[in-house]
Amino acid sequence: GESVGLHLPTLSVQEGDNSIINCAYSNSASDYFIWYKQESGKGPQFIIDIRSNMDKRQGQRVTVLLNKTVKHLSLQIAATQPGDSAVYFCAENMGDSNYQLIWGAGTKLIIKP
Amino acid sequence: DADVTQTPRNRITKTGKRIMLECSQTKGHDRMYWYRQDPGLGLRLIYYSFDVKDINKGEISDGYSVSRQAQAKFSLSLESAIPNQTALYFCATGDGPGGYTFGSGTRLTVV
């Protein structure tokens, strides 16, 4: 079946450096992609999204890149801070009216002081 | 107050017991979702509802049932809890393709 997966289960980054979290997807019909952040003891929190007709979108300290040719999605976090420590999930949506999401397994981001 | 409130936050129950997890939202959205999260895994959809009269099974609905009492309320029941239903359960609401708002979760342990 179709799935969304992440290349690395854990990523360690020095505080102040940039973080790059990767995600591969397999459904070429997916129309919409979302990144969520889940801190310990909390529910997932929406970070940023991107539609399939875009290849880049920027937010506050975050950038999402979409490469439809290789079905790859990445989340870049600039100047990583301790508060960025969390598990990051990518999710995809088929773009139909059901709005159901297919979730990846998550990448744990660890910030080294 | 939180946009999505789940109760209880933690629950330990015995095998075979019936248990209900409750969710309420103040976002005014029609769509509500119940997800299950197991350690090291992503979220899996149990049930979803597009409005009060519309209930749909998700990926892993066996062993679960839901009730949409009102636009703002969506409860999840385990009719006869079993140990492999031990997990973190999340309720979410949304009115678009993916910008969901999640509750803080219910940690359920079945012993």
Side-chain angles (χ1 to χ4, degrees):
Chain A
E2 305 290 351
S3 65
V4 175
L6 295 174
H7 294 311
L8 295 173
T10 302
L11 177 65
S12 293
V13 176
Q14 201 74 37
E15 183 177 349
D17 287 352
N18 296 335
S19 301
I20 300 176
I21 301 172
N22 296 304
C23 178
Y25 67 95
S26 58
N27 188 348
S28 57
S30 290
D31 180 61
Y32 182 70
F33 303 87
I34 313 100
W35 282 100
Y36 283 86
K37 172 185 181 183
Q38 185 177 22
E39 296 175 273
S40 180
K42 298 183 179 180
Q45 180 183 13
F46 172 88
I47 302 173
I48 192 168
D49 58 5
I50 189 168
R51 290 204 175 272
S52 59
N53 62 353
M54 303 172 67
D55 53 21
K56 180 179 180 179
R57 190 168 188 212
Q58 288 184 292
Q60 186 176 15
R61 277 202 311 120
V62 295
T63 301
V64 56
L65 299 178
L66 176 63
N67 186 329
K68 294 181 287 294
T69 302
V70 295
K71 298 178 186 172
H72 184 267
L73 189 69
S74 69
L75 176 70
Q76 300 180 3
I77 304 173
T80 309
Q81 303 169 358
D84 295 326
S85 292
V87 177
Y88 290 82
F89 293 95
C90 64
E92 63 179 307
N93 180 284
M94 296 278 289
D96 58 20
S97 61
N98 283 334
Y99 293 156
Q100 290 189 57
L101 296 179
I102 302 171
W103 294 77
T107 293
K108 184 174 183 179
L109 180 63
I110 298 171
I111 312 303
K112 296 181 289 186
Chain B
D1 289 343
D3 292 327
V4 180
T5 301
Q6 290 184 236
T7 56
R9 288 298 310 274
N10 293 282
R11 180 73 182 267
I12 300 174
T13 192
K14 294 183 178 180
T15 298
K17 292 291 187 181
R18 183 179 188 274
I19 183 170
M20 178 182 289
L21 309 182
E22 300 193 37
C23 175
S24 62
Q25 53 105 351
T26 59
K27 300 286 285 186
H29 294 160
D30 287 327
R31 298 172 185 240
M32 296 188 73
Y33 306 82
W34 273 105
Y35 282 94
R36 168 178 172 159
Q37 185 176 37
D38 294 280
L41 299 179
L43 280 76
R44 293 184 291 168
L45 184 63
I46 307 172
Y47 269 95
Y48 59 104
S49 171
F50 287 166
D51 64 40
V52 175
K53 298 179 182 179
D54 182 80
I55 303 290
N56 303 279
K57 293 182 177 181
E59 178 187 355
I60 54 165
S61 60
D62 288 348
Y64 302 94
S65 63
V66 291
S67 175
R68 185 79 185 268
Q69 300 96 325
Q71 185 200 42
K73 296 184 182 296
F74 191 37
S75 60
L76 175 73
S77 293
L78 286 68
E79 298 301 326
S80 180
I82 55 177
N84 76 0
Q85 291 179 310
T86 293
L88 194 54
Y89 291 85
F90 287 103
C91 176
T93 186
D95 62 356
Y100 297 174
T101 301
F102 282 83
S104 297
T106 294
R107 186 171 296 280
L108 177 66
T109 303
V110 183
V111 296

